[in-house]
Amino acid sequence: YKRQALFLPWYVARMQGREDWGIYSTALAFVMVGAPIATWGLTQLLPREIGRDRAKAGRLLANAGVVAALASFLVTAVGTVLVILLNYPQDVRMLIILGLVMTLLPRAEYLLSEATVNGLEKMEWIVLVRFPATLLRVILSIGLLALGCGLHVLFWLWAAYYLLAFAAYLMLFHTLVSGFSLKLDAHLIRSLAVRALPFVATLFVGETLAKFDRIFLSKWEGTDAVGAYAVGIMLVQTLLLIATAIMNALYPALSRAYHRSKQQFSLVVSQLFRLLFAAVFPVMLSAIALARPLILLVFGDDYGESIPVLQITALALLPSFLGRLMYRTLLASDNERWAFWVSLVSGTLGLVLN
């Protein structure tokens, strides 16, 4: 499904043209900036708690959903006001607002259900749900764009995708997880909202601030420049999605290992570090060496400016993979405050450099 998901951005970039791709990438950047806050850090908290006690999965998901819904409404409102104040052209502004309104809430609920799957360590369910849903979304997206529909249909289909996947996960939970029950508890809602604060802060400074690059670029250089930049970072972002999926799969086991034996936990982390280094280093070198033929062959001559972007950002592959492992290590060992300070330094530095 990662390949399917990559095919749609390629289609928009290659077939719709650099300007349309830049407009879509700008709108998507606003969604991705708000998305970590909309989940209120609960995608990090839930797998750890469920990994230690799977009987709590239903209650945690239900009450986390309420917190995420409130956070999503808040982020959507703030994001809409910000977009209006930034005075984008009418078509760009309306597409960004549509993206925020249509996707933030269903995406947050979908991610929480997937975090529950991670905590239950049923990763095959993610493939079972995502593969057909992503395939359907990609086929419909390309078909509607080919028929002349505007970029807005992509966000409508994103919303439908998230809702469909969320419903599928709920069906799996009720069918296959013994004792799964969605019960609301006002005390647990407040508890989750408070306990997730360190995770929210970490995600804000570590992920949200890091995703302002395309927003800055869209205001200083225009959406056409965003199109070239977005193509240049596309391969690296796709590989980092794989890194995130791997870390999500490892996170509950790491949390449980720390809970049982700190010595065993340290041994597992050190072995994973060496394994990742050996696996990712040649991938990083290959991406740098093949950047020119890859960009020109896949996206065309209009994206020649994307070549140095890929070569430079590919240098981040190895530290990014290893950094994601270290981040999950800190969370699994109940050191989210240290994770926050690391993210604060890196996020602030990235913002200043942008």
Side-chain angles (χ1 to χ4, degrees):
Y1 58 79
K2 298 292 185 187
R3 291 179 181 177
Q4 296 170 15
L6 183 61
F7 187 77
L8 180 58
W10 169 82
Y11 181 88
V12 178
R14 180 91 190 214
M15 303 302 176
Q16 299 295 118
R18 186 162 141 176
E19 179 61 28
D20 272 4
W21 167 241
I23 293 172
Y24 175 64
S25 296
T26 301
L28 197 59
F30 275 89
V31 174
M32 293 299 103
V33 163
I37 310 303
T39 60
W40 202 248
L42 292 164
T43 54
Q44 310 291 332
L45 181 61
L46 258 60
R48 188 178 77 182
E49 298 302 309
I50 295 172
R52 294 174 181 177
D53 187 355
R54 297 182 182 182
K56 297 179 179 179
R59 291 181 65 245
L60 286 169
L61 175 59
N63 292 278
V66 175
V67 177
L70 296 173
S72 297
F73 287 129
L74 176 62
V75 173
T76 301
V78 172
T80 300
V81 172
L82 178 62
V83 171
I84 294 172
L85 292 176
L86 285 174
N87 196 31
Y88 279 100
Q90 175 73 8
D91 58 336
V92 179
R93 181 168 69 249
M94 294 308 297
L95 189 66
I96 296 171
I97 294 174
L98 177 68
L100 293 171
V101 171
M102 290 302 302
T103 63
L104 280 185
L105 177 56
R107 187 180 191 276
E109 302 299 335
Y110 152 80
L111 288 177
L112 290 181
S113 63
E114 208 158 84
T116 303
V117 174
N118 291 336
L120 294 170
E121 296 181 83
K122 297 290 185 180
M123 304 306 292
E124 65 275 13
W125 293 1
I126 295 179
V127 178
L128 180 65
V129 170
R130 276 201 192 185
F131 187 87
T134 303
L135 181 61
L136 180 61
R137 179 178 65 84
V138 171
I139 291 174
L140 289 175
S141 297
I142 292 174
L144 290 172
L145 288 174
L147 290 173
C149 294
L151 295 171
H152 64 278
V153 301
L154 298 177
F155 286 112
W156 283 100
L157 290 172
W158 268 118
Y161 165 80
Y162 291 136
L163 291 172
L164 177 63
F166 177 58
Y169 283 132
L170 286 182
M171 187 164 53
L172 286 172
F173 294 148
H174 282 292
T175 305
L176 301 176
V177 179
S178 177
F180 186 87
S181 177
L182 297 171
K183 293 183 178 180
L184 294 179
D185 181 339
H187 174 73
L188 184 55
I189 291 172
R190 289 193 297 270
S191 174
L192 287 172
V194 173
R195 290 171 60 199
L197 284 174
F199 297 95
V200 180
T202 302
L203 287 170
F204 176 74
V205 298
E207 290 195 26
T208 299
L209 294 184
K211 291 173 181 173
F212 270 99
D213 47 5
R214 276 175 282 184
I215 295 175
F216 281 129
L217 194 59
S218 69
K219 291 305 297 179
W220 265 289
E221 299 291 337
T223 52
D224 183 70
V226 176
Y229 177 71
V231 160
I233 65 175
M234 190 184 297
L235 175 62
V236 172
Q237 286 189 322
T238 302
L239 292 173
L240 292 181
L241 285 175
I242 297 173
T244 300
I246 293 171
M247 299 312 155
N248 286 342
L250 292 172
Y251 182 34
L254 287 173
S255 179
R256 196 162 51 253
Y258 177 80
H259 199 58
R260 290 174 179 172
S261 168
K262 294 179 176 60
Q263 184 177 4
Q264 180 191 13
F265 174 76
S266 299
L267 179 62
V268 169
V269 170
S270 63
Q271 289 175 338
L272 287 171
F273 191 94
R274 288 193 291 268
L275 179 63
L276 279 176
F277 189 97
V280 177
F281 187 71
V283 175
M284 179 186 73
L285 294 181
S286 299
I288 296 170
L290 299 174
R292 175 173 292 276
L294 187 64
I295 291 290
L296 296 180
L297 175 65
V298 175
F299 295 99
D301 294 337
D302 285 347
Y303 292 95
E305 290 178 277
S306 305
I307 296 169
V309 177
L310 173 55
Q311 291 172 327
I312 293 169
T313 54
L315 290 169
L317 278 173
L318 183 60
S320 293
F321 266 79
L322 297 177
R324 278 163 168 75
L325 174 61
M326 295 297 96
Y327 175 67
R328 291 303 191 285
T329 300
L330 287 171
L331 297 186
S333 58
D334 299 331
N335 283 302
E336 52 263 30
R337 287 181 175 81
W338 281 110
F340 166 73
W341 287 112
V342 172
S343 297
L344 179 61
V345 172
S346 61
T348 304
L349 179 61
L351 187 67
V352 170
L353 288 173
N354 274 317

